[in-house]
Amino acid sequence: MSTTNDDNSDIKQAAEQVNAQEVEKNLAENKTVDAPKSLSEEEQTPFIDDDLRTDK
């Protein structure tokens, strides 16, 4: 897949049409992110076997 002038002009057009007031409003809002759910003991699996770790 190659980049064409159409791709660049779309990006340029979007950048030129950005509404600064809307961006400022979105950045000012205190948006919260949901914390990840707690995993059960069975779901908490180590990615590396402790016996194989070399960083201890």
Side-chain angles (χ1 to χ4, degrees):
M1 181 187 243
S2 64
T3 304
T4 64
N5 288 339
D6 291 339
D7 293 336
N8 291 333
S9 65
D10 289 347
I11 294 169
K12 185 177 179 183
Q13 182 181 5
E16 290 170 352
Q17 293 179 356
V18 69
N19 182 341
Q21 291 173 339
E22 194 69 25
V23 171
E24 185 177 351
K25 177 182 153 196
N26 287 337
L27 291 173
E29 291 178 5
N30 290 330
K31 297 187 185 261
T32 58
V33 178
D34 292 338
K37 295 180 182 176
S38 297
L39 299 176
S40 69
E41 189 175 326
E42 183 178 287
E43 293 171 322
Q44 294 179 7
T45 344
F47 288 100
I48 301 173
D49 188 357
D50 266 352
D51 294 339
L52 301 175
R53 290 183 63 177
T54 58
D55 62 334
K56 287 185 175 184

